[in-house]
Every structure is written in structure tokens, then in C-alpha cells.
Amino acid sequence: NEEGEDMFTVCIAELIQESKEYQTLLGTLDSSGRKTKGAIDRFNVNHSQIISTVAEASEKRGCWEEAVTLYELAYNYDKVLEILNEELSRKLMPNDKAHEHVNEIAINVEPRTTNANTILRKQFLLLLDLYKFHKLYHSGNDKLEEALNVISRLQIIPLQQETINHRVQAFKSFSDELRRCIPDILIMVMSILNKLYKNASKSGSSLYGAQNKQAQKIRDQARVVMRFAGMLPYSMPGDTHAQLSMLDAPMRY
């Protein structure tokens, strides 16, 4: 054609897009990541180019799941992670089927992404850990401390005074996908501290004295989180600070 593309390749790509018979025509990947042959393997064509063309078309249509499957067939794991990072960040908060579905796909793909771009994979693994945090957060009060430990390990939200400035600087290097998640994570962390504080206060004989060191520790952590939220060079949704203040209020005095 006028663009210098082989017309047989172009027509095959269009046929695949129209029929959506991806497995029959392009093949599949087994659990180890090895590709099984499809119908196009009978022809002397650039298989990778055809698959990438179809994948790009699926991505442009917003069919992210199709695009992930197709880019995997082309062994383009940088694009796989690019798409999954976007979807994981968008679906982190709703505790629904879409949240569970994208998480399942990401967990399934993860073992085959070891050779992908280091920065993309680091972000991908961080988002998967945030999904673990989200699951623990919604698993009842007995999992709250475990959820808080996950956040502490990930080192994105400070819980100690001396780490605030470092976390603020680290935030500046976050991708847009990760930054998008921070306001909701802050609210969840403050909600956890709020619940833990109430439990610790009930178990002690004094809210303000040394007899309730755990409650005091939680209050200190809440101060750190609130200060961090105020220092972020990021325009958070309008009600974020209001929600944080409401959760913080019982721990101020």
C-alpha cells in the first residue's frame, strides 16, 4: 500500500480484528509463557507485527483486556505493564468485580514480566501490594494492623516523623498512576489509625497518660500522616482533606 506495508499482512490484521478469533488465528500462551501456534503460523509473514497491529487497535478501542492478551502474544511486556498499571490504578478503590478481575489478571501475568522495563515492573509490583493492602483493609478489624504493616513496608506513606521529608521527595518521582491512588490510600490509613486508636483507648485506663502508650503511638502516627498530606505537591480531590480531618479529630486530644 501507500505506506509501504505488505497488503497480505494488513488484510490478515483486519481479518483478526473483525473476527476476534484471537486464539484460533494467533495462538495462545501456556502457563509457562510458551506460545502455541495459530493459523497465521502457516504463512511466511511477520507474526509479531501482525499481533502488535491488532493489539494497538484493541488498545485504541479501549479494550484493555484484549490488548494485554495480544501484547503478551507479541512478548511486548512493557506494553502489558503499561496498560495494567493504568487499569490497576483506576480500579484500586471500588471493592467490586472489576477490582477483583484486574487484580486476578495482573497476578496471573506477573511471573512472566521479569524481563520487562524495571521502572514499569517496580510500579506494577507496588500496585499489586496496594491491592493486598486494600484486601486486608476490607477484611475486618482483626486485619487492620496487618494492613498498616503493609503500608509501612511499602514506604509510600510515612508513619514516623523522621521519614516525612523523604516520603514527600519520593512522591515527586511517582508516576501519575501511583499519584492517583495516594488520596484514597491516605484516607484508608487514617481510617485504620482511627479504629486502632478507639480500640487502644478502650483497653487503657487513661487516654492521655503513660498507661496507654499504644494510643499515644497511634496519635503520633496520625499527626505524621496529616502533616505529610499537607506537604504533598499535589492537588488532591476537594473532599480528601475534609475526610482526613474528620478521621483525625478523635485523636487530636
Side-chain angles (χ1 to χ4, degrees), residues 4-72:
E5 300 170 312
D6 176 67
M7 284 305 298
F8 181 74
T9 299
V10 171
C11 291
I12 287 292
E14 290 179 355
L15 170 65
I16 295 168
Q17 292 176 54
E18 291 176 7
S19 69
K20 296 187 181 296
E21 294 289 341
Y22 302 126
Q23 294 185 0
T24 302
L25 297 172
L26 300 177
T28 59
L29 291 179
D30 63 21
S31 58
S32 65
R34 289 177 297 188
K35 185 177 180 296
T36 60
K37 291 184 178 181
I40 66 167
D41 290 284
R42 302 173 187 174
F43 304 99
N44 184 24
V45 293
N46 188 331
H47 303 155
S48 181
Q49 181 183 342
I50 291 174
I51 296 172
S52 295
T53 299
V54 180
E56 289 171 10
S58 294
E59 185 180 3
K60 288 178 181 178
R61 293 198 312 273
C63 302
W64 69 267
E65 192 173 345
E66 280 183 13
V68 165
T69 299
L70 292 164
Y71 279 125
E72 246 210 296

Side-chain angles (χ1 to χ4, degrees), residues 108-176:
N108 178 263
V109 168
E110 187 276 323
R112 301 188 291 276
T113 64
T114 53
N115 293 324
N117 176 277
T118 303
I119 295 175
L120 285 172
R121 191 164 193 273
K122 183 178 179 181
Q123 179 184 328
F124 175 66
L125 295 175
L126 179 55
L127 285 166
L128 284 181
D129 279 332
L130 289 177
Y131 270 66
K132 293 177 185 176
F133 165 72
H134 183 278
K135 183 176 181 179
L136 289 168
Y137 174 80
H138 287 284
S139 295
N141 289 344
D142 59 331
K143 294 291 185 180
L144 294 179
E145 289 193 21
E146 189 177 346
L148 198 63
N149 288 336
V150 170
I151 285 296
S152 179
R153 175 174 59 81
L154 295 181
Q155 299 183 354
I156 56 174
I157 306 293
L159 294 173
Q160 289 81 37
Q161 181 72 25
E162 61 273 15
T163 63
I164 294 178
N165 290 334
H166 178 72
R167 299 288 184 270
V168 171
Q169 290 302 314
F171 177 87
K172 295 177 181 179
S173 67
F174 288 171
S175 66
D176 290 340

Side-chain angles (χ1 to χ4, degrees), residues 185-220:
I185 295 170
L186 282 169
I187 291 171
M188 285 194 285
V189 170
M190 282 300 291
S191 178
I192 289 172
L193 292 174
N194 179 285
K195 292 174 183 177
L196 291 177
Y197 179 76
K198 289 178 181 177
N199 292 337
S201 299
K202 290 177 183 177
S203 64
S205 58
S206 171
L207 292 180
Y208 311 106
Q211 294 179 8
N212 202 329
K213 294 181 180 179
Q214 181 62 16
Q216 182 60 50
K217 177 184 176 181
I218 295 168
R219 290 176 67 199
D220 292 342

